[in-house]
């Protein structure tokens, strides 16, 4: 029991140290949190980050002292319990060796003492556990507040920076694109001067709500600072982002905000940029900013996107360099089979897409594609040849699919494809084009052309369906297709 107490004690001490470091990071090392729409005299009021850091430091000291109190009390309880157990043990040993009178009452009394001491310690441990849970809950609440803008309830700049870093790492590892939208409320300073800062605050709160309502479940709307907002769009290419930017712009333009008996209206300018090989998060933000300023120069209440060199209106029907280039060759496609998203990544992205599709009524289809006789090809030609064949098929598939679609590796000889805004009938056409492209065969240097055939299964999203269920139906469809063709082949008469 004493050992148990010491283990728990060390756990408390470790938690306290980690807790203090975490609070220090969230406080003294914190990025500035976007402030409400206020104008104050900088000579009279310290900068908000400084005030926030001082409050955080004070709160951290108090919280750490509470944990120290729990640890100190537990240390005393453990020491007292150990002393009691040692004394009772010595008494029992003296009885066992005949140094004291042997008495059943004495033994029972000693056992009762041990039971009472253990019960008391158990009660104290239970109380300490509850205190620890309370501190953990308080820490979680503080962490949430540290990542949330107090005025709008949106994610703040720190949360935005973290999400940009996370999406950039996904882009580097899995080549899954993401896009950034940056918003600015048009002529917001003039609006403040005309209607007052309280009205300005109400506008900012309502714009925040509009962003949350208009965004997909997987998107992250943020308050970027002042009257600026941002939305991070994971697994989204520039074509989809341009559509989204117009959807956000129209939602803000059409909104009517009630305040002080008036119906207030505002508009926004938007800049859009998709991640590219030449970007890091900071450079992507600069490109989106350039597009934002181009929107303002164009008269505001519009959106522009940055193609890597120029800023173009999102509503213009222009050629998109980030879409599939004309006359693209296999050698320009750098994504091999191994670099494709895994089944787990595909499942995560599919689940987010399902939420979007169910919310906006957008069709979504999954295709499972299987190379026929792949295990036999692998045995006959070797693993290296088989893997190069998979790379070739992956490249052909990428040339056939749209950029908004998602190709993933499922298993040796099998692929998963997510077709956005595609019905089952449209997905059938895509799958047949894929079959035709792959049927051209594989012809590496020094090896005769190897003809290839494939089978596929298709599942279109049903209402309230999960990603796992959708993929399971695609697999069942594939199995049914293979089984049906096998049965037909075996039942067909042999030509003489």
């Amino acid at each position: 029991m004493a050992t148990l107490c010491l283990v728990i004690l060390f756990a408390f001490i470790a938690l306290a140290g980690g807790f203090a470091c975490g609070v220090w990071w969230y406080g003294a090392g914190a990025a500035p949190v976007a402030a409400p729409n206020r104008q104050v005299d900088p000579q009279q009021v310290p900068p908000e980050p400084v005030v926030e850091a001082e409050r955080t430091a004070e709160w951290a000291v108090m919280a750490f002292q509470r944990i120290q109190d729990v640890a100190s009390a537990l240390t005393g309880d453990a020491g007292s319990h150990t002393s009691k157990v040692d004394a009772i043990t010595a008494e029992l040993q003296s009885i066992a060796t005949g140094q004291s009178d042997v008495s059943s009452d004495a033994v029972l009394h000693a056992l009762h003492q041990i039971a009472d001491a253990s019960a008391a310690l158990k009660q104290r441990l239970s109380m300490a556990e509850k205190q620890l849970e309370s501190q953990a809950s308080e820490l979680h609440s503080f962490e949430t507040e540290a990542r949330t803008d107090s005025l709008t309830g949106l994610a703040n700049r720190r949360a935005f920076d973290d999400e940009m870093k996370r999406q950039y790492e996904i882009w580097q590892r899995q080549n899954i694109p993401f896009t950034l939208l940056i918003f600015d409320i048009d002529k917001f300073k003039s609006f403040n001067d005309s209607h007052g800062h309280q009205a300005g605050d109400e506008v900012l709160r309502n714009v925040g709500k509009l962003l949350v309502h208009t965004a997909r479940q997987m998107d992250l709307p943020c308050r970027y600072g002042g009257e600026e907002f941002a939305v991070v769009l994971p697994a989204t290419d520039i074509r989809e982002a341009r559509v989204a930017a117009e959807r956000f712009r129209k939602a803000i333009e059409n909104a009517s905000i009630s305040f002080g008996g008036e119906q207030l209206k505002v508009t926004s300018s938007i800049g859009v940029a998709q991640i590219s090989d030449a970007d890091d998060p900071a450079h992507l933000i600069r490109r989106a900013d350039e597009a934002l300023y181009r929107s303002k120069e164009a008269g505001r209440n519009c959106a522009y996107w940055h193609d890597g060199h120029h800023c173009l209106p999102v509503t213009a029907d222009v050629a998109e360099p980030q879409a599939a280039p004309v006359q693209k060759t296999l050698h320009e496609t750098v994504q091999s089979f191994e670099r494709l998203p895994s089944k787990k990544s595909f499942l995560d992205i599919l689940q987010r897409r399902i939420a979007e599709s169910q919310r906006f009524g957008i069709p979504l289809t999954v295709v499972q594609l299987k190379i026929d006789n792949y295990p036999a090809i692998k045995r006959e030609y070797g693993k290296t040849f088989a893997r190069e064949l998979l790379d070739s098929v992956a490249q052909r598939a990428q040339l056939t699919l749209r950029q908004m679609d998602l190709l993933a590796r499922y298993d040796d000889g099998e692929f998963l494809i997510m077709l956005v805004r595609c019905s089952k009938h449209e997905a059938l056409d895509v799958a047949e084009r894929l079959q035709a492209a792959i049927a051209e065969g594989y012809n590496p240097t020094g090896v005769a052309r190897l003809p290839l055939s494939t089978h596929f299964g298709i599942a279109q999203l049903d209402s309230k369906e999960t990603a796992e269920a959708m993929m399971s139906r695609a697999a069942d469809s594939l199995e049914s297709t293979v089984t049906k063709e096998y049965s037909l082949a075996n039942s067909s008469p042999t030509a003489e």
Side-chain angles (χ1 to χ4, degrees), residues 5-16:
C5 293
L6 289 175
V7 170
I8 295 175
L9 173 61
F10 283 123
F12 268 98
I13 295 172
L15 175 65

Side-chain angles (χ1 to χ4, degrees), residues 93-371:
Q93 285 176 340
S94 66
I95 294 174
T97 56
Q99 298 176 11
S100 299
D101 293 336
V102 178
S103 168
S104 59
D105 290 339
V107 174
L108 287 174
H109 178 68
L111 293 176
H112 280 304
Q113 285 182 299
I114 292 177
D116 290 344
S118 298
L121 182 61
K122 181 180 179 180
Q123 184 178 12
R124 286 294 297 127
L125 289 174
S126 178
M127 291 175 60
E129 183 180 7
K130 290 179 181 178
Q131 289 175 291
L132 180 59
E133 288 176 353
S134 174
Q135 291 300 313
S137 175
E138 192 171 351
L139 175 59
H140 177 72
S141 175
F142 177 77
E143 180 181 359
T144 300
E145 290 175 3
R147 298 174 59 83
T148 303
D149 174 64
S150 58
L151 178 64
T152 63
L154 297 179
N156 64 11
R157 183 60 185 269
R158 175 186 288 122
F160 168 82
D161 290 340
D162 289 347
E163 180 67 6
M164 288 287 287
K165 180 180 177 182
R166 190 174 75 87
Q167 291 300 327
Y168 181 68
E169 290 171 351
I170 293 174
W171 158 251
Q172 287 186 307
R173 290 196 311 268
Q174 303 175 17
N175 206 30
I176 298 174
F178 71 99
T179 308
L180 173 64
L181 276 58
I182 295 183
F183 302 70
D184 192 278
I185 305 301
D186 294 331
K187 299 182 179 179
F188 189 71
K189 185 179 184 301
S190 299
F191 183 91
N192 263 346
D193 294 341
S194 301
H195 297 87
H197 296 293
Q198 288 185 337
D201 284 352
E202 189 64 23
V203 166
L204 294 177
R205 275 191 290 267
N206 276 270
V207 169
K209 292 176 183 177
L210 281 172
L211 295 186
V212 172
H213 178 74
T214 309
R216 304 168 300 180
Q217 186 178 18
M218 66 179 176
D219 300 334
L220 182 69
C222 310
R223 181 157 180 217
Y224 192 67
E227 68 271 21
E228 283 193 327
F229 296 84
V231 179
V232 183
L233 306 176
T236 304
D237 64 25
I238 192 63
R239 284 177 289 185
E240 297 172 291
R242 287 167 59 183
V243 174
E246 268 299 283
R247 190 168 65 241
F248 282 113
R249 187 193 65 78
K250 289 178 180 177
I252 294 172
E253 179 187 31
N254 295 332
S256 183
I257 302 166
S258 299
F259 182 81
E262 294 184 75
Q263 295 299 313
L264 307 176
K265 296 185 75 69
V266 294
T267 59
S268 64
S269 300
I270 306 175
V272 188
Q274 177 187 322
I275 192 70
S276 71
D277 291 333
D279 287 324
D280 57 19
H283 191 257
L284 177 62
I285 293 172
R286 284 198 296 273
R287 290 204 295 120
D289 260 332
E290 287 181 27
L292 170 62
Y293 283 111
R294 182 68 186 89
S295 298
K296 292 180 179 181
E297 291 172 356
R300 297 183 171 86
N301 191 25
C302 61
Y304 272 67
W305 66 285
H306 198 292
D307 70 353
H309 303 284
H310 308 287
C311 294
L312 307 165
V314 300
T315 53
D317 185 15
V318 295
E320 298 177 20
Q322 295 184 358
V326 178
Q327 297 180 342
K328 187 174 181 181
T329 67
L330 285 175
H331 299 291
E332 291 174 306
T333 305
V334 297
Q335 197 167 16
S336 64
F337 180 79
E338 284 299 327
R339 288 198 64 194
L340 293 177
S342 65
K343 177 185 175 183
K344 183 180 183 303
S345 297
F346 182 89
L347 193 65
D348 292 341
I349 296 169
L350 177 61
Q351 189 60 54
R352 293 196 292 268
R353 284 291 191 182
I354 285 174
E356 173 195 0
S357 295
Q358 291 172 339
R359 181 174 180 180
F360 296 107
I362 300 170
L364 182 67
T365 308
V366 167
V367 177
Q368 185 169 334
L369 185 74
K370 180 178 183 180
I371 301 173

